[in-house]
Amino acid sequence: MEALSERNSRVVSAVKLHRGPNRRKSGFFLAEGANSVEAALETGRIEELFFSMKAAAREHELVASAAAQGVRTTLVSDRAAEMLGETVTPPGLVAVCRLVDVPLTSVLESSPRMLAVPVEIADPGNAGTLIRVADAVGADGVVLAGDSVDPHNGKTVRACAGSLFHVPVARSRDIDATLDALEAAGIAVLATTARGEVELDEADEILAGPVAWLFGNEAHGLDRAVAARATHRIRIPIHGRAESLNLAAAAAICLYAGSRVQHAE
């Protein structure tokens, strides 16, 4: 099998998927590394799997499994692998996958018990971590509300460590329409704010029902008008001297608390 060079048209087309407009136009994105590729393979979303000789030696079973499932598996040169990857030391294993985001209506039609709703989340690493946490605690979906980062961004996909393929992810640009839809579905909207009237430790009764957690933007938190529209405003008690928590940490604490209550039933 001859390795494709970086000039091959299929490699060139795949490399273009590092850019958001090309992902939207084509309907495909790149998933890099064994965790992401394995999760994508399990959900049948891979269109083509590119691998280097080094990756073939290291991840032989994964490449063979993809081939056995009818996925097009393609050996590429080290230079092509570098261009397909985005990390300093590329793993040499990159899958072209179909986009994963779904409409908000399809998330709500599944009668979710717990949703994570980051509002205008900007950092791709934070978005990926939040999706991974949502997957870990058994949340029923993530809704990226407002002007948020693309969940198919390479850094987001890597931070998800495969969870992007496990949890339904929706993008809903209109924040008010998102809140309207959540309320219409009978879901209690919980805003996380430093001055919330309900302390997290005392919120078990609220957390027992269907809830959607709103998490604010990294730089300026939740907009006051958005927090005011929530059913309840929840604050995380801070017993030490830290002024606040970053978005990913706050999300992990709140989602775990919700999961603890719901799984105790």
Side-chain angles (χ1 to χ4, degrees):
M1 185 190 289
E2 190 175 340
L4 297 188
S5 79
E6 71 276 13
R7 292 183 294 275
N8 178 274
S9 60
R10 295 212 310 277
V11 175
V12 170
S13 294
V15 170
K16 287 180 180 176
L17 298 176
H18 288 311
R19 295 177 57 81
N22 293 327
R23 293 194 291 268
R24 287 191 294 275
K25 186 177 176 182
S26 67
F28 296 106
F29 73 107
L30 298 179
E32 181 182 1
N35 283 341
S36 294
V37 169
E38 188 172 2
L41 191 61
E42 286 171 359
T43 52
R45 302 200 79 88
I46 300 181
E47 194 74 9
E48 182 167 13
L49 178 62
F50 294 105
F51 63 94
S52 66
M53 285 298 289
K54 288 176 186 173
R58 194 174 57 248
E59 302 292 347
H60 174 73
E61 283 186 24
L62 191 51
V63 175
S65 179
Q69 289 184 37
V71 171
R72 184 178 202 172
T73 53
T74 305
L75 176 67
V76 294
S77 67
D78 288 345
R79 177 66 183 136
E82 280 177 25
M83 292 182 69
L84 285 162
E86 284 189 303
T87 50
V88 178
T89 52
L93 193 69
V94 179
V96 176
C97 304
R98 290 180 289 284
L99 298 182
V100 300
D101 56 332
V102 297
L104 175 59
T105 49
S106 75
V107 172
L108 297 179
E109 281 166 4
S110 67
S111 301
R113 299 274 295 153
M114 183 165 66
L115 298 173
V117 187
V119 180
E120 298 190 327
I121 188 169
D123 182 84
N126 271 341
T129 300
L130 188 144
I131 292 168
R132 189 175 180 181
V133 169
D135 180 22
V137 302
D140 300 298
V142 176
V143 181
L144 300 170
D147 185 15
S148 294
V149 68
D150 180 1
H152 307 99
N153 172 295
K155 191 173 179 182
T156 303
V157 177
R158 289 192 298 279
C160 284
S163 290
L164 185 65
F165 299 96
H166 300 157
V167 183
V169 176
R171 283 190 276 183
S172 186
R173 190 168 284 277
D174 188 321
I175 297 169
D176 281 325
T178 305
L179 297 176
D180 289 342
L182 292 168
E183 288 164 4
I187 298 169
V189 177
L190 311 181
T192 52
T193 69
R195 295 178 180 82
E197 69 271 9
V198 181
E199 191 167 287
L200 181 61
D201 292 346
E202 297 166 0
D204 284 15
E205 196 174 316
I206 295 167
L207 301 183
V211 297
W213 285 99
L214 299 184
F215 302 110
N217 170 280
E218 296 90 344
H220 44 75
L222 269 182
D223 183 271
R224 283 186 180 181
V226 173
R229 278 203 58 183
T231 318
H232 303 281
R233 280 143 297 280
I234 311 283
R235 71 179 185 277
I236 298 170
I238 293 179
H239 303 297
R241 294 176 64 187
E243 190 180 311
S244 62
L245 294 163
N246 76 3
L247 184 149
I253 291 167
C254 293
L255 291 171
Y256 173 77
S259 174
R260 175 184 57 77
V261 172
Q262 294 191 356
H263 285 91
E265 292 177 3

